[in-house]
Amino acid sequence: MIKLIGIVVGLALGFALAFGSFGQMLIVALFAAIGYAVSKFFAGEVNLAPYVQGRRSSR
């Protein structure tokens, strides 16, 4: 599955670079990374609870 994701992302970045500029390719790469992170979160592979919860007093 990881190889398939890598191939799709590489293909998308290749098309972005071939038909656009380097800046546009970076924008596509940024959104690919965001999509990857969101999919990992919804699959339950990333735990954000320590970062979302506020600090608690140890009283």
Side-chain angles (χ1 to χ4, degrees):
M1 184 67 177
I2 297 297
K3 287 183 183 180
L4 178 65
I5 292 171
I7 291 170
V8 171
V9 169
L11 186 63
L13 292 177
F15 276 126
L17 186 58
F19 296 112
S21 67
F22 184 72
Q24 291 171 340
M25 187 201 68
L26 290 178
I27 291 171
V28 172
L30 173 69
F31 280 103
I34 291 171
Y36 180 75
V38 168
S39 69
K40 286 286 191 181
F41 174 74
F42 282 120
E45 297 178 18
V46 176
N47 184 14
L48 297 177
Y51 304 108
V52 177
Q53 295 175 351
R55 293 185 177 202
R56 294 185 181 197
S57 177
S58 60
R59 292 182 191 175

